[in-house]
Amino acid sequence: TDLTRVIQLDPKATVAFNNRALAYLGLGKGAEAISDLTSSIALDPKDASAFATRGTAYISTGDKEKALDYFLKAGEKAYKIYAPNEAFSYFQHALELQEEKGATLEEKARMIERLGDLKAWMGESDACLEYWSKSLTLWDQLGDKKRVASLHVKMANVLWDAIGDTKKASEHHNA
């Protein structure tokens, strides 16, 4: 294929490895996609999309545990390069995989809180409050008073600063 030719001409062409991996996925060849993504990640370990695509490839092979690991890595890498939309997408996939495997309440609470943090970062106040509210319920069930208090502070700040609802902000601040 043309992508194979590009890789032969330039064995450091991460875009070619990534695109060929996507083509392999489209053909149902998850193992081949993983191989190309291994090469791509070795060449550019900061490329969040390669980690996410590798997560997708592991799903195609039935290895959801490795898929979860790669979606978490992709989310962290996207977060570090200030790409909140991508980080949100990757962490959303991770949460779905966590729920499928029967994650602990703590794992779910952490991930849902992280999604809320990203929504806050993106300026989506209502969405962030929704995620934080779900996380707050889980932390409360776990009896983690420190995390509960931290979430109340975050929620109060968004309600006060972004939404202007001083009454609800005060309720969270006093909780």
Side-chain angles (χ1 to χ4, degrees), residues 6-175:
V6 170
I7 292 167
Q8 290 168 343
L9 293 171
D10 183 3
K12 293 184 179 183
T14 58
V15 171
F17 279 111
N18 290 340
N19 287 338
R20 191 170 71 174
L22 289 169
Y24 282 141
L25 282 173
L27 296 170
K29 297 181 176 184
E32 290 88 341
I34 291 168
S35 177
D36 273 1
L37 292 161
T38 300
S39 299
S40 178
I41 289 168
L43 292 166
D44 184 3
K46 294 181 181 179
D47 183 2
S49 67
F51 281 84
T53 305
R54 193 163 183 188
T56 302
Y58 276 118
I59 288 173
S60 78
T61 65
D63 193 340
K64 292 184 179 183
E65 198 63 40
K66 283 188 180 175
L68 172 60
D69 182 49
Y70 276 90
F71 278 115
L72 289 170
K73 288 176 181 177
E76 290 299 330
K77 290 181 182 305
Y79 184 83
K80 287 179 182 176
I81 61 166
Y82 304 102
N85 289 318
E86 290 82 357
F88 183 87
S89 174
Y90 304 150
F91 285 139
Q92 185 67 46
H93 285 297
L95 178 62
E96 291 167 9
L97 289 166
Q98 284 180 332
E99 288 175 344
E100 280 184 36
K101 79 167 193 157
T104 66
L105 281 181
E106 184 175 344
E107 289 172 322
K108 289 180 191 178
R110 283 185 195 286
M111 186 57 60
I112 293 168
E113 182 176 350
R114 191 76 182 270
L115 291 168
D117 293 345
L118 286 163
K119 286 296 184 181
W121 189 16
M122 292 185 276
E124 297 179 30
S125 301
D126 291 335
C128 86
L129 290 170
E130 187 176 321
Y131 280 101
W132 286 342
S133 181
K134 290 176 186 175
S135 183
L136 180 67
T137 300
L138 295 174
W139 287 121
D140 196 37
Q141 288 175 14
L142 289 164
D144 191 327
K145 293 179 181 182
K146 188 174 182 178
R147 293 300 273 234
V148 168
S150 173
L151 272 166
H152 277 299
V153 169
K154 288 183 193 182
M155 294 171 83
N157 287 337
V158 167
L159 285 162
W160 188 282
D161 293 336
I163 297 177
D165 189 336
T166 57
K167 183 179 179 193
K168 282 186 183 176
S170 293
E171 290 171 7
H172 280 283
H173 183 68
N174 294 325

